[in-house]
Amino acid sequence: MEKFVINGGKQLNGEVYVGGAKNAVVAIIPATILANDVSRIENVPDIEDVANMLEIVESLGGIVTREDAHTYVIDTRDVSCTIVEKEIAEKLRASYYLMGVLLGRFNHFKVALPGGCDLGARPIDLHIKGFEALNAKITDDGYYIEATTHGLAGGSVYFNTVSVGATVNTILAAVKAPGVTIIENAAKEPHIIDLANYLNKCGADIRGAGTNTIKIKGVDSLRGCEHAIIPDQIEAGTYMLACAAAGGTVTVKNVIPRHLECITQKLLECGVYVDEFVDSVRVRTEKSRHTNCDIYTTPYPGFPTDMQPQFTAFLAIAEGVSTVSEGVWSNRFRYVDQLLRMGADIKRLGDNKTAVIKGVSELHGALVKADDLRAGAAMIIAGLAATGRTEIEQIYHIDRGYEAVVEKLSALGADIKRVDDTEPPLTVITVA
Ligand code: UD1
């Protein structure tokens, strides 16, 4: 099994280039199926979730051509299969977007329940509510969700809870449904806007993406288009936090600073300097320890839950007592056990929704694991800031969402390596 080995305590300096947004691309790749044509997608991050999503599109009959590491041409004219099997669906959470896409194009889907990070209960009742509002009939046998319809029709749906996935899936299913669909209490994340921009370029009529009311007028057909994925807000935030925790000056390039606003504000509150430019931010530290702050995660434009573990790792060595409360997922503090192994002083309150962090003067290296994707990012940040050697296991979680993380951090001066400890030791031949 591969693992990361970090010798911590080195400041980070230089520039790091952020790739396309994971959560946008995993919606837009399946959306190419709706276009029933050829789309060219740029700024695609080279991560496992993308490889798995492209594999799903190919398994359904799509033809994927890789122009370079970050550009794909996807021809979905021959897609005909409407079934996504368990073995592939469980490789990533976003496989559930095939539900909306296949329903929208073929009036049918049978998709196995998705995989992804274990962050507590991850129901899909709201996705189903969206499909039913469009005149689909849904069955769930505990393994597969299946949808049939005699004809989709626009409808209105109100989500009690703000859900990125349910908002995306309802948009996908509604794009070609005759009539008007209205989604109330929709998610407002930047990747919802990016998806709507892609679909509108293909000829869809989606208005209000980025607000809590989205209106979709069904169109008869779509065509392919060229589209560049927006920068990844969470990858950018992770490098900002890595610099804040390890110290130094890092310019994070290819970002939309507005998408990073609440991360920037919290870092400023802690005494980290952040300068914003047109498409980059520069993070700068002038002291070894920063001050505490309180965080509460909520849907966009609130503080992103996907930055919660990384910020907690930074606060573990800040002065004073910080409180981090999770407002989206029911079980997103498992990684705290790993930080405790590194000398952190963190207590989870009874409901497991809040962590109280008493900053310590330093963390020490330890053998830890990545419980999930962003928990893994937090382990990297802790390892970079810690004294001594940290080994991180289960890094396949990290590879799902971070491209070339070792190379990018090494270029900033970090001492981090990917090692394969299943490789047999070198044979030593002794000559008698
Ligand atoms: C997406 C992101 C994930 C991020 C999350 C919240 C992708 C591929 N993943 O996940 O990285 O952490 O948004 O920003 O974009 N809920 C229900 N019923 C449903 C659906 C959701 O109750 O049918 C609840 C969930 O349990 C959770 C909340 O709604 O408490 C938000 O979930 P949602 O926004 O749907 O998350 P995902 O789309 O799965």
Side-chain angles (χ1 to χ4, degrees):
M1 283 293 241
E2 288 187 328
K3 61 185 176 186
F4 289 153
V5 177
I6 302 173
N7 288 304
K10 307 213 165 21
Q11 288 210 338
L12 303 181
N13 288 291
E15 296 178 351
V16 61
Y17 193 85
V18 167
K22 172 181 94 68
N23 289 347
V25 77
V26 295
I28 289 170
I29 289 173
T32 62
I33 291 178
L34 278 172
N36 189 7
D37 197 4
V38 181
S39 291
R40 185 169 176 277
I41 311 297
E42 297 172 7
N43 203 30
V44 176
D46 191 4
I47 55 177
E48 279 302 307
D49 269 13
V50 163
N52 287 324
M53 189 54 94
L54 290 170
E55 193 184 332
I56 294 180
V57 171
E58 285 181 317
S59 76
L60 299 174
I63 299 167
V64 176
T65 310
R66 182 179 183 271
E67 275 190 10
D68 60 48
H70 301 117
T71 309
Y72 288 85
V73 174
I74 307 174
D75 181 348
T76 60
R77 286 172 293 185
D78 288 338
V79 170
S80 55
C81 178
T82 57
I83 300 172
V84 181
E85 301 288 357
K86 179 174 180 293
E87 293 67 35
I88 189 151
E90 66 188 10
K91 285 189 180 173
L92 77 166
R93 187 77 195 158
S95 57
Y96 58 26
Y97 290 150
L98 272 302
M99 297 182 189
V101 161
L102 295 172
L103 183 62
R105 178 160 162 190
F106 297 107
N107 282 349
H108 175 262
F109 69 74
K110 185 175 177 188
V111 177
L113 288 166
C117 292
D118 178 7
L119 311 173
R122 296 189 79 168
I124 56 166
D125 55 307
L126 299 176
H127 303 235
I128 291 172
K129 188 177 175 186
F131 299 145
E132 287 175 340
L134 301 174
N135 199 32
K137 188 173 175 325
I138 311 293
T139 55
D140 174 359
D141 67 4
Y143 297 93
Y144 286 86
I145 310 287
E146 184 161 13
T148 51
T149 178
H150 295 303
L152 290 176
S156 294
V157 61
Y158 172 84
F159 293 134
N160 289 324
T161 305
V162 176
S163 162
V164 171
T167 301
V168 167
N169 249 336
T170 306
I171 291 173
L172 294 170
V175 159
K176 291 168 74 180
V180 175
T181 296
I182 294 177
I183 306 172
E184 299 279 11
N185 203 24
K188 296 180 280 206
E189 268 70 1
H191 36 283
I192 306 272
I193 302 175
D194 204 29
L195 171 69
N197 285 342
Y198 164 75
L199 288 168
N200 283 342
K201 276 194 237 171
C202 292
D205 186 346
I206 304 167
R207 291 165 200 224
T211 74
N212 49 17
T213 303
I214 299 178
K215 190 171 169 186
I216 304 150
K217 274 193 202 158
V219 295
D220 290 340
S221 63
L222 300 174
R223 58 186 174 273
C225 73
E226 294 203 358
H227 184 78
I229 304 293
I230 54 165
D232 196 307
Q233 158 202 25
I234 305 301
E235 188 193 11
T238 300
Y239 287 109
M240 292 168 78
L241 265 296
C243 176
T249 302
V250 170
T251 302
V252 185
K253 303 192 91 168
N254 185 38
V255 301
I256 299 174
R258 189 165 34 88
H259 294 168
L260 303 169
E261 201 53 51
C262 53
I263 301 166
T264 298
Q265 289 304 326
K266 283 293 165 189
L267 283 175
L268 290 171
E269 197 181 320
C270 295
V272 179
Y273 295 94
V274 184
D275 302 308
E276 292 182 357
F277 304 96
V278 175
D279 60 359
S280 62
V281 291
R282 184 174 60 214
V283 178
R284 186 164 48 90
T285 64
E286 277 188 4
K287 49 187 177 180
S288 57
R289 288 189 76 192
H290 297 91
T291 44
N292 58 316
C293 76
D294 295 328
I295 286 188
Y296 180 54
T297 71
T298 58
Y300 192 84
F303 190 91
T305 173
D306 288 351
M307 281 301 299
Q308 182 259 90
Q310 301 92 313
F311 222 102
T312 300
F314 161 71
L315 292 173
I317 48 168
E319 281 172 355
V321 177
S322 304
T323 303
V324 174
S325 300
E326 174 59 43
V328 177
W329 298 112
S330 59
N331 188 14
R332 198 163 202 172
F333 283 114
R334 284 183 306 149
Y335 68 88
V336 164
D337 288 333
Q338 308 303 312
L339 291 179
L340 297 181
R341 294 167 74 112
M342 300 178 75
D345 182 348
I346 305 176
K347 290 198 172 39
R348 280 158 289 192
L349 300 188
D351 63 357
N352 214 15
K353 287 282 194 87
T354 302
V356 178
I357 303 149
K358 200 169 159 198
V360 294
S361 57
E362 65 176 30
L363 296 174
H364 56 78
L367 175 62
V368 295
K369 63 176 175 169
D371 282 304
D372 58 61
L373 170 57
R374 307 304 171 185
M379 291 308 116
I380 292 178
I381 290 169
L384 294 171
T387 55
R389 175 184 170 101
T390 295
E391 296 187 17
I392 306 174
E393 296 181 329
Q394 297 183 188
I395 59 170
Y396 50 85
H397 286 297
I398 301 171
D399 290 333
R400 279 190 37 231
Y402 289 92
E403 175 178 342
V405 65
V406 167
E407 292 75 8
K408 290 184 184 186
L409 285 169
S410 299
L412 294 174
D415 182 346
I416 176 170
K417 287 187 179 55
R418 178 188 293 264
V419 299
D420 186 348
D421 60 8
T422 55
E423 277 177 15
L426 287 175
T427 309
V428 179
I429 301 171
T430 313
V431 179

